[in-house]
């Protein structure tokens, strides 16, 4: 039986264990953070990292990930490069735009800059605009600004964070706001669309003025059947980025369908929300990765 190392023990871990075991893949958790990791000078914990054939996917914390990857010494479904590629929101949008795929109008600001540079960057936009960190997840730090003064106020807080010398990513995005957009997370496995969910906030949250449709912020994910043009768009997105296992976030409003973000460490939802061959394709990708065919 093929043995797969998974560095998360959250929803995805619990959901995939049974279906993958049915397909000859044993999934075990390897803790990659919030612990002490032996780097050198002995092998007291070597048994913990032994016997794996592949990893799924590279750890979210890249420093710890380098140690865990060295100890495991296995190929990964979505390696460090894939995770880094997807995490860079501006880089993703630039690559997709260059390939002719639809994305929201976006500008990246790299600190430190003065207010004049921010003012110039936002000139092509209409308010409100979205301001977001370039590499955060789960909607963390994302805000809207209704005018230049409020935008500069949000930027002031980002400047405080970026002023800290240990902050690695000192960039952020200014993006057009798409009101009342439907929010989808589509999944691509090994080049093929395998299902999607629509993420929706409850009506009372919308009435209160909330607009971030992140599941981790209270939205509900419902399985949906996306049309061919959306399926083709997400498959093309994965192809352009060169990522085998990818969550693609789509926004749809006023006849527009755009790629908003991607996630190379997407949460797996309930199997009922995906195509019937979801786990067959996922198992096939893991087997090919373990065999060194990626």
């Amino acid at each position: 039986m093929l043995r797969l190392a998974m560095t998360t023990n959250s929803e995805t871990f619990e959901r995939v264990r049974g279906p993958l075991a049915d397909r000859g893949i044993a999934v075990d958790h390897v803790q990659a953070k919030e612990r002490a990791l032996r780097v050198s000078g002995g092998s007291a914990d070597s048994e913990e990292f032994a016997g794996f054939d592949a990893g799924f996917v590279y750890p979210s914390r890249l420093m710890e990930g380098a140690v865990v990857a060295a100890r495991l010494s296995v190929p990964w479904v979505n390696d460090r490069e894939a995770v880094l590629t997807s995490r860079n929101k501006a880089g993703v949008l630039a690559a997709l735009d260059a390939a002719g795929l639809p994305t929201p109008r976006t500008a990246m600001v790299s600190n430190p800059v003065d207010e004049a540079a921010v003012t110039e960057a936002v000139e092509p936009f209409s308010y409100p605009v979205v301001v977001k960190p370039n590499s955060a997840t789960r909607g963390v730090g994302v805000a809207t600004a209704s005018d230049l003064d409020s935008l500069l106020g949000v930027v002031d807080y980002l400047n405080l964070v970026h002023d800290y010398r240990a902050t690695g990513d000192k960039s952020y995005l200014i993006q057009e706001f798409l009101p009342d957009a439907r929010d989808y997370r589509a999944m691509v496995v090994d080049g093929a669309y395998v299902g999607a969910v629509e993420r929706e906030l409850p009506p009372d949250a919308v009435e209160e003025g909330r607009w971030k449709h992140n599941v981790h912020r209270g939205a509900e994910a419902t399985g949906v059947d996306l049309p061919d043009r959306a399926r083709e768009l997400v498959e093309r997105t994965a192809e352009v980025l060169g990522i085998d296992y990818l969550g693609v976030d789509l926004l749809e409003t006023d006849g527009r369908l755009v790629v908003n973000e991607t996630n190379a460490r997407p949460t797996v939802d309930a199997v009922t929300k995906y195509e019937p061959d979801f786990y067959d394709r996922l198992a096939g990708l893991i087997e090919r990765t373990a065999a060194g065919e990626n």
Side-chain angles (χ1 to χ4, degrees):
M1 197 175 206
L2 189 151
R3 193 162 176 237
L4 181 71
M6 184 170 286
T7 60
T8 175
N9 62 351
S10 58
E11 302 101 324
T12 294
F13 177 72
E14 296 299 333
R15 287 169 180 156
V16 306
R17 290 184 75 187
L20 289 181
D22 293 340
R23 291 161 175 81
I25 300 173
V27 183
D28 290 306
H29 177 235
V30 173
Q31 186 176 350
K33 61 182 181 181
E34 299 175 357
R35 60 169 299 184
L37 283 163
R38 188 179 298 275
V39 175
S40 61
S43 57
D45 58 356
S46 60
E47 190 172 315
E48 175 187 357
F49 298 95
F52 288 100
D53 300 290
F56 183 92
V57 300
Y58 196 89
S60 58
R61 294 188 183 179
L62 301 181
M63 302 299 106
E64 292 92 325
V67 175
V68 170
R71 301 299 304 278
L72 285 170
S73 189
V74 296
W76 293 85
V77 173
N78 287 7
D79 57 12
R80 184 178 186 272
E81 182 179 352
V83 172
L84 279 172
T85 294
S86 178
R87 185 173 293 179
N88 183 346
K89 293 179 173 63
V92 164
L93 295 177
L96 298 182
D97 183 72
L101 302 187
T103 63
R105 177 180 291 179
T106 306
M108 181 178 75
V109 179
S110 175
N111 268 333
V113 298
D114 57 24
E115 288 188 356
V118 178
T119 302
E120 182 179 358
V122 79
E123 279 182 359
F125 294 82
S126 298
Y127 288 100
V129 295
V130 177
V131 190
K132 62 172 69 172
N134 189 33
S135 56
T137 62
R138 300 183 175 183
V140 174
V142 180
T144 57
S146 57
D147 52 41
L148 181 59
D149 280 343
S150 55
L151 171 62
L152 294 176
V154 173
V155 168
D156 282 343
Y157 284 100
L158 288 168
N159 290 344
L160 288 173
V161 174
H162 293 166
D163 191 50
Y164 181 51
R165 290 173 60 189
T167 300
D169 179 11
K170 299 182 185 294
S171 62
Y172 61 92
L173 306 184
I174 299 173
Q175 195 170 70
E176 67 172 313
F177 179 64
L178 301 176
D180 303 318
R182 300 182 72 173
D183 185 305
Y184 304 108
R185 160 64 61 85
M187 292 284 276
V188 179
V189 176
D190 206 10
Y193 166 87
V194 290
V197 296
E198 181 174 2
R199 301 179 293 193
E200 292 183 282
L201 287 167
D204 58 336
V206 176
E207 291 175 3
E208 291 170 358
R210 294 175 58 192
W211 57 275
K212 299 180 192 177
H213 293 275
N214 299 83
V215 171
H216 294 92
R217 293 180 177 269
E220 182 179 350
T222 306
V224 293
D225 188 23
L226 292 183
D228 288 345
R229 70 173 183 133
R231 297 179 182 217
E232 292 166 3
L233 176 56
V234 299
E235 289 178 353
R236 181 76 176 114
T237 296
E239 180 184 8
V240 169
L241 300 180
I243 301 178
D244 291 323
Y245 169 67
L246 188 66
V248 182
D249 293 349
L250 302 175
L251 297 177
E252 183 179 27
T253 183
D254 294 332
R256 291 179 64 191
L257 182 68
V258 300
V259 178
N260 189 42
E261 295 182 6
T262 64
N263 190 334
R265 292 181 52 85
T267 298
V268 174
D269 217 308
V271 66
T272 55
K273 299 176 183 178
Y274 297 118
E275 300 288 291
D277 66 345
F278 172 77
Y279 276 108
D280 291 333
R281 296 196 68 90
L282 184 59
L285 174 59
I286 293 167
E287 290 167 354
R288 287 201 306 102
T289 300
E293 298 177 5
N294 283 353

